[in-house]
Structures are given as structure tokens and as C-alpha cells.
Amino acid sequence: MPYNGLALDRGRRSDADWLAAALDAGQILAYWQDKCLVAGGRPVRLPTTDREVVFLGAAETAVFAADLSDLDADTAVAQAGAEAAVDIRVLFPQLDRQEAATLAYARGMLHWTRNQRFCGACGGRTAAEQAGHVRRCADCGKLHFPRIAPAVIMLVESPDRERCLLARHRGARDYSTLAGFVEIGESLEDAVRRELHEEAGVRVSEVSYQASQAWPFPSGLMVGFRARADTEDVAVDHDELAEAHWFTRDEVRAQGGTRHDSIESYLVETWLGER
């Protein structure tokens, strides 16, 4: 699964002496406004920086990430010796598995860092600890940790399992599977049932887990399910969805492919491969 399987060793976050030495000999990925700074189509590695960095982990060398978002775009690109700031999902086709996972992880951590400068409890300024994986409020002492937002994504089968439900969101051109965030007080399976009924008017009782995917865009965890509808009744909410229909396997293939960096592709392709 894309962005899964990050192999970096993150176990030395509290070893200040080791981190200082590793920073001198490691590599620092550069970002601006959630975009990776690149040159020649490849991510830029800064030789050094006086900026706050986040330790991502160690493989052959230690890997850190730095955020240049306080600069304007042209200045950030120039300071990093880059050519452009590019969304990681655009880079994905030319990245190997580990590099994609590392770049996505860096993006998520820097996004959290940039948005946790102040304490949500008292408004005080926070400072980094544990190599950027914890932020402590200077006023009330509250510790802030990176949070993830779990979401469910589901391939819904018709009662006879011969068709699947795809929807077109408002403002979108293509059809896709349905998804939604998990709310407080519900299980993952309950979230599947609620989202399908709220958005598409579809009732399902049979829900089975398929796979999960790291999705740090900026802080998601996608949990994939297969669900079987009780009936073929569909009634879209016309709030998030414009329309939803049942498609045969041949009709899904005719729609074209899904994005191959998303768990949606796995869910759809798995279903297409079944008789």
C-alpha cells in the first residue's frame, strides 16, 4: 500500500547528543506550505540549516525535515537551492516505496508543527521537545502530540455482489468510492454505516475490514472496508454528493483508473479481480 511500511528507525528522539551529531551528518528535507522543494524533479536535501527541524528517523543516515513556510515562495525556493515547490502526490509516480512514505511523513509532521505553535488550552507559545514529536506550552506546561484523523473508505457491493456503488461528489467530474471521517463515540464499522446512509441513503449491515493506509495529507489514516448493501435503494443527500449509481465490473473498468497512490485503487481493483 502506498505510504505504508515506513522503515526509518525513530527510536532516538530523546538522545540529544546523538541527534546533534546526526544532524551534522544527515540530510534535511525542505518544504514550503506542505509542498516538497525539488530540483531536477528530485527532493532537495539541505546540507545544514539554522531552522527548527523535525527528526524523521534513521536508515543509512538520519533524516530530518525543515519548514520554510514563513518565507514567500520564491525566497524559499532560492534559499533551498530548489527549482519549485511540488505536491508530493504529483511526485509519487517517480518515487520508490520508502521515499514516498518518508516524504509523506515529513509533510504531515511539518504541517502539525506549523499549526501547533500555540497551545489550544491557554494560547501560550509552544516549544519542540523529543526532536519535534512533542510540543510543550511555555505557559501552562501542557504537552501536545501529533494527532491523526481516522477516516473510513468503502467499496459497497449490491446485494447480489455483481455491482458496486460509486458516487460523484459535487464539483467533481469522476466517480469514486465513498469515504468519511470517524466521529467520536462510534466504531469504524458504525462510521461506514452512518456515512453510507447519510450521504447516499444506502443501508448496509455486512461490513468487513480490508486494509489501512497511512494518509498524512495532512494527518489522516484511511481504513478500508467492503460493505454489502441490504437493498439497491439510493437517495443521495445532494449536499456532498451530486449523484451515486450502481456499476457493473465492465462499467467500472470503462470509467478509467483510480489514483494509484490511494487505498481506493486497492479496494476497487480487488473487487474487479473477483468473479
Side-chain angles (χ1 to χ4, degrees), residues 210-232:
Q210 301 294 295
S212 65
Q213 181 186 26
W215 195 252
F217 301 105
S219 57
L221 171 66
M222 300 300 293
V223 188
F225 287 88
R226 177 83 65 88
R228 186 178 182 186
D230 296 336
T231 71
E232 295 184 5

Side-chain angles (χ1 to χ4, degrees), residues 121 130 146 210 267:
Q130 294 289 311
Q210 301 294 295
L267 295 175

Side-chain angles (χ1 to χ4, degrees), residues 34-275:
D34 294 333
K35 295 181 178 180
C36 186
L37 295 174
V38 301
R42 298 293 302 160
V44 166
R45 265 76 170 177
L46 302 177
T48 185
T49 184
D50 58 358
R51 291 176 171 271
E52 181 181 286
V53 298
V54 174
F55 172 60
L56 302 177
E60 296 179 358
T61 60
V63 185
F64 298 83
D67 194 353
L68 281 64
S69 293
D70 59 309
L71 306 174
D72 63 73
D74 291 340
T75 302
V77 168
Q79 277 199 12
E83 297 169 353
V86 180
D87 189 287
I88 295 165
R89 298 190 69 191
V90 175
L91 295 175
F92 176 78
Q94 64 202 57
L95 302 173
D96 65 34
R97 182 185 184 88
Q98 281 302 310
E99 190 169 30
T102 299
L103 293 178
Y105 176 46
R107 181 193 190 280
M109 286 300 300
L110 292 179
H111 181 93
W112 171 75
T113 299
R114 192 169 66 252
N115 287 277
Q116 193 64 75
R117 298 293 185 184
F118 297 93
C119 177
C122 74
R125 187 173 290 275
T126 64
E129 296 184 3
Q130 294 289 311
H133 291 263
V134 179
R135 297 192 70 84
R136 183 188 296 272
C137 177
D139 291 343
C140 71
K142 182 177 178 62
L143 296 179
H144 298 273
F145 300 87
R147 297 286 188 261
I148 60 171
V152 292
I153 181 169
M154 40 278 188
L155 188 289
V156 185
E157 294 180 297
S158 59
D160 62 4
R161 300 188 187 277
E162 293 300 319
R163 286 171 292 170
C164 76
L165 184 72
L166 298 179
R168 185 174 64 81
H169 288 75
R170 292 184 61 183
R173 182 185 63 183
D174 298 327
Y175 287 88
S176 63
T177 55
L178 281 81
F181 287 104
V182 181
E183 296 184 356
I184 292 174
E186 65 183 1
S187 68
L188 297 172
E189 292 82 359
D190 288 341
V192 170
R193 297 184 179 99
R194 175 185 54 77
E195 283 287 340
L196 289 173
H197 183 250
E198 287 181 353
E199 294 189 6
V202 173
R203 295 282 190 183
V204 299
S205 51
E206 183 180 324
V207 178
S208 58
Y209 169 80
Q210 301 294 295
S212 65
Q213 181 186 26
W215 195 252
F217 301 105
S219 57
L221 171 66
M222 300 300 293
V223 188
F225 287 88
R226 177 83 65 88
R228 186 178 182 186
D230 296 336
T231 71
E232 295 184 5
D233 296 336
V234 176
V236 299
D237 61 359
H238 295 293
D239 181 17
E240 294 192 36
L241 301 183
E243 56 184 324
H245 303 287
W246 296 102
F247 293 86
T248 66
R249 286 175 171 81
D250 287 341
E251 289 171 336
V252 172
R253 293 186 184 99
Q255 291 286 329
T258 56
R259 289 192 65 115
H260 291 292
D261 70 333
S262 168
I263 190 174
E264 179 186 22
S265 178
Y266 170 82
L267 295 175
V268 172
E269 294 298 329
T270 299
W271 182 75
L272 289 177
E274 297 174 358
R275 294 181 63 86

